[in-house]
Amino acid sequence: MNFLKSPWPWYVAGPLIGLCVPLLMLIGNKALGISSSLRHICAACIPGKIPFFQYDWKKESWNLWFVGGIALGAAIVLLFFHNGRPVDLNPDTIAALRANGVQEFDELMPGDIFNWGNVASGTGLLFFITGGFLVGFGTRYANGCTSGHSIYGIATLQWPSLVATICFMAGGFAMTNYILPHLMRWLLL
Amino acid sequence: MKNLKFLFTGMLFGIILVKAEVISWFRIQEMFRLESFHMYGVIGSAVFTAMLGVLLIRKMGWRSVNGEEIVVQKKPFTKGNIIGGLIFGLGWAITGACPGPIFAQIGSGFTVVIITFLSAVAGTWVYGKCKDRLPH
């Protein structure tokens, strides 16, 4: 029970995540990949007359069940195995984020940024609208995300996935170190 | 009913993502600031384990439960791997979430991430709309 309540170290969680790749192969001949679900949702709900969304998304519906499962699994942790303690971060990270205006460090996410009160503000425009748009646009343009490229693609020895992963990291480094601090100081301080 | 096993696998995946704290915006900041090994350890050991699993399946010639030969989905190279990859990286650092964690953050009670999700659907839609005009 204690193990279920506390956060898991990388050497426990990482291999468990990795095992999902062969597991999906064995139970259904499926390739781990999550960003495709966003395409299926477009194809199902708002296909317009766009050729990219004209396909039988129902054939790929396993993927929607899978992402629904992810949300459910997270809710199970929240309901039954929630430890309610802050993330054990490097103090340097906390100090730097505090200097950029983050105030709440007691949950998985900074509650002062990720709350409904911010939806119609500059903070919401950056963290929800802009960030989400870049994730959806970028992953589809890159033909995959962290799961489909960085885990499944590299594990199946496909070099384009390694290229994509290097670019994910480069974009993340640039945003975190050179762009986001300025935006946060402007919006949060 | 045939999809229940995928729901269940997704639940396991979601539980692991939360317990690993990889859905935490803080952990993503820490990773990109090079101030912790945690995220690199998770991703690195996940890739390593997945690779071993796939290798084992190939060596043993295992088939999926429905008797099919297991196929590896091809990831052809396009310029999108680079340009789209960079764009996604920017978004990953802002939201603290790649697509999987978006669903897990919502399930974890940060319901406002529904807005992030809707915006990601919009981003995917706009890509589909502009696809032919983008370099690939």
Side-chain angles (χ1 to χ4, degrees):
Chain A
M1 205 55 200
N2 210 1
F3 174 75
L4 285 174
K5 286 233 172 192
S6 51
W8 298 347
W10 65 265
Y11 49 83
V12 173
L16 288 174
I17 291 174
L19 283 177
C20 290
V21 171
L23 181 65
L24 281 171
M25 286 177 163
L26 292 172
I27 66 168
N29 209 358
K30 302 296 184 205
L32 175 70
I34 293 168
S35 60
S36 313
S37 65
L38 302 173
R39 183 184 178 187
H40 305 327
I41 290 166
C42 287
C45 305
I46 38 173
K49 293 206 164 51
I50 301 165
F52 189 63
F53 301 122
Q54 307 299 326
Y55 61 94
D56 186 8
W57 61 271
K58 284 186 186 138
K59 276 195 176 142
E60 307 293 330
S61 60
W62 76 273
N63 198 250
L64 299 173
W65 288 83
F66 185 74
V67 298
I70 293 177
L72 259 176
I76 289 172
V77 175
L78 176 70
L79 291 174
F80 302 109
F81 313 123
H82 191 58
N83 76 343
R85 278 199 298 272
V87 181
D88 186 19
L89 296 166
N90 184 329
D92 293 346
T93 309
I94 297 181
L97 292 177
R98 229 181 252 289
N100 291 339
V102 179
Q103 293 162 9
E104 292 180 23
F105 291 84
D106 48 356
E107 288 179 272
L108 274 173
M109 308 276 284
D112 49 334
I113 296 175
F114 290 86
N115 70 67
W116 282 99
N118 281 335
V119 168
S121 69
T123 305
L125 184 66
L126 172 66
F127 286 93
F128 315 143
I129 311 279
T130 310
F133 189 90
L134 294 175
V135 169
F137 185 90
T139 51
R140 202 68 275 120
Y141 195 0
N143 191 28
C145 60
T146 343
S147 57
H149 274 311
S150 310
I151 298 177
Y152 178 88
I154 295 180
T156 52
L157 310 176
Q158 308 200 56
W159 67 268
S161 290
L162 183 62
V163 173
T165 301
I166 291 168
C167 294
F168 299 166
M169 298 305 293
F173 274 112
M175 178 55 73
T176 303
N177 295 292
Y178 302 112
I179 309 171
L180 199 57
H182 303 289
L183 295 173
M184 283 170 63
R185 267 178 243 150
W186 178 54
L187 288 166
L188 303 176
L189 287 177
Chain B
M1 287 309 275
K2 67 180 166 60
N3 280 319
L4 275 184
K5 60 188 177 187
F6 299 114
L7 181 80
F8 191 68
T9 312
M11 281 167 64
L12 282 177
F13 197 73
I15 290 171
I16 304 164
L17 290 183
V18 179
K19 291 276 91 177
E21 295 179 334
V22 298
I23 68 158
S24 165
W25 182 86
F26 294 120
R27 283 285 187 208
I28 306 302
Q29 287 286 309
E30 199 184 37
M31 162 176 73
F32 285 130
R33 296 173 55 85
L34 295 175
E35 287 170 342
S36 168
F37 178 72
H38 181 81
M39 289 293 302
Y40 297 98
V42 170
I43 299 173
S45 60
V47 172
F48 183 71
T49 314
M51 209 180 281
L52 285 183
V54 174
L55 199 70
L56 187 69
I57 288 177
R58 285 209 178 138
K59 284 267 177 258
M60 306 299 282
W62 286 338
R63 288 171 171 261
S64 71
V65 284
N66 33 353
E68 296 167 357
E69 192 177 335
I70 289 167
V71 280
V72 170
Q73 193 187 81
K74 283 275 165 283
K75 303 271 182 186
F77 177 75
T78 72
K79 291 190 192 104
N81 292 146
I82 297 170
I83 310 167
L86 289 170
I87 294 172
F88 162 52
L90 298 173
W92 186 11
I94 297 175
T95 59
C98 28
I102 286 183
F103 296 100
Q105 288 177 352
I106 296 170
S108 294
F110 296 93
T111 50
V112 72
V113 177
I114 288 171
I115 305 295
T116 312
F117 162 73
L118 291 175
S119 194
V121 171
T124 301
W125 191 86
V126 169
Y127 168 76
K129 178 100 180 153
C130 309
K131 185 173 177 287
D132 296 336
R133 275 169 282 161
L134 297 168
H136 280 92

